[in-house]
Amino acid sequence: MLARGPAHYVDDPAELDRLAGLPGAAPWAGGARPRWVRIRPEEVSGRRLVTG
């Protein structure tokens, strides 16, 4: 999926805590990643994969 739109750093402490607690919030490569970026999609494209 490709999402295009304006991106902004998340800097609200309550929102940062909420995001950090979501499943899958840890970086795949490990290590500390202190920045969160929010994209407000204006356009979404890609392919749908159907299994089964």
Side-chain angles (χ1 to χ4, degrees), residues 11-52:
D11 56 5
D12 177 55
E15 182 68 356
L16 290 169
D17 286 343
R18 186 188 76 77
L19 292 169
L22 292 174
W28 293 347
R33 305 291 195 287
R35 288 283 192 186
W36 285 87
V37 178
R38 172 169 285 125
I39 300 172
R40 302 247 182 232
E42 294 177 348
E43 179 183 341
V44 179
S45 64
R47 296 188 174 128
R48 182 177 298 210
L49 301 177
V50 179
T51 61

